[in-house]
Amino acid sequence: MKTSDIIASVGVIILLIGFMLNLFKKLPADSKIYASLNFVGAAMCGYSSYLISFYPFVILEGIWAFVALVSLFKVPRGT
């Protein structure tokens, strides 16, 4: 396996763990842990895509990571 394959595999596993925990109601979608899993997983997948020059996926994962990062720092608003 190439380095890019290992990075992508770990990133996908992280994304799937977050998705599965959310799906089974173990981790709410608005939690910091969920956003962190999405950020780290998407960043790793995006970086591995960059390493193999697959730019459409770099854009997809870059946006995914950016949105997850923004959600980590969003300030909760009163109702």
Side-chain angles (χ1 to χ4, degrees):
M1 275 181 109
K2 294 190 272 184
T3 304
S4 59
D5 294 333
I6 294 168
I7 294 170
S9 297
V10 172
V12 167
I13 289 168
I14 291 170
L15 288 171
L16 290 174
I17 287 170
F19 175 70
M20 189 172 57
L21 289 172
N22 177 257
L23 193 64
F24 292 118
K25 309 283 189 231
K26 303 292 182 192
L27 190 62
D30 59 352
S31 72
K32 299 291 184 189
I33 295 172
Y34 183 75
S36 297
L37 289 171
N38 272 288
F39 172 70
V40 171
M44 290 179 77
C45 289
Y47 179 63
S48 69
S49 297
Y50 171 78
L51 290 176
I52 64 170
S53 301
F54 188 60
Y55 297 110
F57 206 65
V58 172
I59 293 168
L60 171 70
E61 295 299 333
I63 292 170
W64 188 336
F66 176 75
V67 171
L69 187 62
V70 168
S71 74
L72 274 171
F73 293 104
K74 74 176 181 183
V75 178
R77 300 185 186 254
T79 56

